[in-house]
Amino acid sequence: MHTRTVDPAESSLERWGATVDGAAEPCLVIDSDVVVVAMSASFEQMLGLAESPVNRPLLDGDGVLRLLDFGDGNALEQIEVARMPSLLALSSGRLARGLIRIRCANGPGTFDAIAAPLTDDGKVVGSLTFFSAIQ
Protein backbone atom coordinates (compact mmCIF):
# COMPACT_ATOMS: atom_id res chain seq x y z
CA MET A 1 0.00 0.00 0.00
CA HIS A 2 1.28 3.46 -0.91
CA THR A 3 0.27 6.49 1.07
CA ARG A 4 1.23 10.07 0.52
CA THR A 5 3.17 11.74 3.29
CA VAL A 6 1.33 14.95 4.11
CA ASP A 7 3.36 18.00 4.95
CA PRO A 8 1.68 19.57 8.00
CA ALA A 9 2.46 23.02 6.58
CA GLU A 10 0.55 22.19 3.39
CA SER A 11 -2.98 23.58 3.48
CA SER A 12 -6.11 21.64 2.64
CA LEU A 13 -6.47 23.90 -0.42
CA GLU A 14 -3.07 22.76 -1.69
CA ARG A 15 -3.79 19.09 -1.01
CA TRP A 16 -7.22 19.13 -2.62
CA GLY A 17 -5.96 21.34 -5.45
CA ALA A 18 -3.33 18.75 -6.35
CA THR A 19 -5.97 16.00 -6.25
CA VAL A 20 -8.43 17.93 -8.44
CA ASP A 21 -5.69 18.84 -10.90
CA GLY A 22 -5.30 15.15 -11.74
CA ALA A 23 -8.95 14.09 -11.42
CA ALA A 24 -10.87 12.56 -14.32
CA GLU A 25 -14.21 13.86 -12.98
CA PRO A 26 -15.43 17.42 -13.57
CA CYS A 27 -14.52 19.22 -10.34
CA LEU A 28 -12.96 22.35 -8.91
CA VAL A 29 -11.53 23.89 -5.76
CA ILE A 30 -12.10 27.55 -4.87
CA ASP A 31 -10.73 29.57 -1.98
CA SER A 32 -12.68 31.74 0.45
CA ASP A 33 -12.38 34.69 -1.96
CA VAL A 34 -14.16 32.58 -4.64
CA VAL A 35 -11.00 32.34 -6.75
CA VAL A 36 -10.21 29.10 -8.60
CA VAL A 37 -7.39 27.14 -6.94
CA ALA A 38 -7.69 24.09 -9.25
CA MET A 39 -9.98 22.66 -11.91
CA SER A 40 -9.92 19.22 -13.53
CA ALA A 41 -8.98 19.05 -17.20
CA SER A 42 -12.33 17.42 -18.04
CA PHE A 43 -14.24 20.39 -16.58
CA GLU A 44 -11.97 22.89 -18.37
CA GLN A 45 -12.68 21.10 -21.67
CA MET A 46 -16.46 21.04 -21.08
CA LEU A 47 -16.40 24.76 -20.42
CA GLY A 48 -14.23 25.37 -23.48
CA LEU A 49 -11.68 27.42 -21.59
CA ALA A 50 -8.86 28.79 -23.75
CA GLU A 51 -6.67 29.74 -20.79
CA SER A 52 -6.04 28.39 -17.32
CA PRO A 53 -8.81 29.12 -14.81
CA VAL A 54 -6.37 29.02 -11.87
CA ASN A 55 -6.12 32.31 -9.94
CA ARG A 56 -9.16 33.72 -11.74
CA PRO A 57 -12.46 34.54 -10.04
CA LEU A 58 -15.04 31.78 -10.32
CA LEU A 59 -17.88 34.19 -11.08
CA ASP A 60 -18.48 37.88 -11.81
CA GLY A 61 -17.28 39.84 -14.86
CA ASP A 62 -14.04 38.00 -15.59
CA GLY A 63 -15.22 34.79 -13.97
CA VAL A 64 -14.62 31.26 -15.18
CA LEU A 65 -18.25 30.09 -14.88
CA ARG A 66 -21.28 31.64 -16.53
CA LEU A 67 -24.32 30.55 -14.53
CA LEU A 68 -27.61 30.51 -16.43
CA ASP A 69 -31.23 30.81 -15.37
CA PHE A 70 -33.23 27.59 -15.88
CA GLY A 71 -36.23 29.55 -17.14
CA ASP A 72 -34.99 31.98 -19.77
CA GLY A 73 -31.34 30.94 -20.21
CA ASN A 74 -30.06 34.42 -19.38
CA ALA A 75 -27.44 35.20 -16.76
CA LEU A 76 -28.51 34.10 -13.29
CA GLU A 77 -29.73 36.79 -10.90
CA GLN A 78 -27.26 37.64 -8.12
CA ILE A 79 -29.62 36.44 -5.37
CA GLU A 80 -29.70 33.02 -7.06
CA VAL A 81 -25.92 32.90 -7.58
CA ALA A 82 -25.46 32.85 -3.79
CA ARG A 83 -27.32 29.50 -3.76
CA MET A 84 -24.71 27.80 -5.95
CA PRO A 85 -23.43 24.76 -3.99
CA SER A 86 -19.78 25.91 -4.14
CA LEU A 87 -20.75 29.21 -2.50
CA LEU A 88 -23.19 27.65 -0.03
CA ALA A 89 -20.45 25.32 1.22
CA LEU A 90 -18.25 28.37 1.83
CA SER A 91 -20.88 30.40 3.63
CA SER A 92 -22.46 27.59 5.68
CA GLY A 93 -19.45 25.38 6.37
CA ARG A 94 -21.62 22.39 5.40
CA LEU A 95 -22.17 20.12 2.44
CA ALA A 96 -24.31 21.69 -0.27
CA ARG A 97 -26.00 20.18 -3.30
CA GLY A 98 -28.11 21.52 -6.12
CA LEU A 99 -28.80 21.72 -9.83
CA ILE A 100 -27.09 24.46 -11.80
CA ARG A 101 -26.94 25.51 -15.46
CA ILE A 102 -23.62 26.61 -16.90
CA ARG A 103 -22.64 27.99 -20.28
CA CYS A 104 -20.36 25.31 -21.75
CA ALA A 105 -18.41 25.04 -25.01
CA ASN A 106 -21.23 23.05 -26.68
CA GLY A 107 -24.09 25.13 -25.26
CA PRO A 108 -25.83 25.23 -21.87
CA GLY A 109 -25.21 22.30 -19.56
CA THR A 110 -27.19 21.20 -16.53
CA PHE A 111 -25.24 19.72 -13.63
CA ASP A 112 -25.90 18.14 -10.29
CA ALA A 113 -23.26 19.85 -8.13
CA ILE A 114 -22.17 18.71 -4.69
CA ALA A 115 -19.77 20.83 -2.67
CA ALA A 116 -17.89 20.29 0.57
CA PRO A 117 -16.25 23.01 2.64
CA LEU A 118 -12.49 22.77 3.07
CA THR A 119 -11.13 23.73 6.46
CA ASP A 120 -7.81 24.50 8.09
CA ASP A 121 -7.73 24.64 11.88
CA GLY A 122 -11.54 24.68 11.99
CA LYS A 123 -11.87 27.67 9.64
CA VAL A 124 -13.49 27.35 6.19
CA VAL A 125 -10.81 28.23 3.63
CA GLY A 126 -12.49 27.03 0.43
CA SER A 127 -14.73 24.45 -1.14
CA LEU A 128 -14.42 21.37 -3.33
CA THR A 129 -17.21 20.81 -5.87
CA PHE A 130 -17.93 17.81 -8.10
CA PHE A 131 -20.20 18.21 -11.13
CA SER A 132 -22.26 15.48 -12.74
CA ALA A 133 -23.79 16.31 -16.11
CA ILE A 134 -27.52 15.69 -16.43
CA GLN A 135 -28.69 14.69 -19.90
Side-chain angles (χ1 to χ4, degrees):
M1 176 167 71
H2 297 282
T3 58
R4 180 173 176 243
T5 303
V6 177
D7 178 354
E10 187 179 39
S11 75
S12 64
L13 285 176
E14 292 168 321
R15 288 190 302 274
W16 281 108
T19 300
V20 162
D21 191 48
E25 298 83 7
C27 52
L28 68 87
V29 172
I30 59 172
D31 66 17
S32 59
D33 293 324
V34 195
V35 172
V36 176
V37 172
M39 182 180 288
S40 66
S42 63
F43 200 38
E44 284 185 44
Q45 290 170 348
M46 273 195 310
L47 296 176
L49 299 178
E51 60 186 54
S52 172
V54 175
N55 294 322
R56 289 180 47 203
L58 181 65
L59 304 167
D60 298 325
D62 189 33
V64 174
L65 291 186
R66 301 285 185 236
L67 299 178
L68 304 173
D69 188 282
F70 278 96
D72 60 16
N74 291 324
L76 198 59
E77 295 287 330
Q78 196 59 35
I79 194 163
E80 295 295 325
V81 169
R83 295 181 185 156
M84 178 189 179
S86 303
L87 302 182
L88 277 175
L90 280 177
S91 64
S92 70
R94 302 174 76 141
L95 286 175
R97 184 176 186 183
L99 295 178
I100 60 173
R101 287 195 46 90
I102 302 172
R103 182 177 299 138
C104 297
N106 297 327
T110 302
F111 297 86
D112 181 11
I114 185 162
L118 301 177
T119 61
D120 279 333
D121 296 323
K123 179 182 176 197
V124 176
V125 294
S127 71
L128 165 65
T129 308
F130 285 92
F131 300 86
S132 179
I134 296 181
Q135 305 300 331

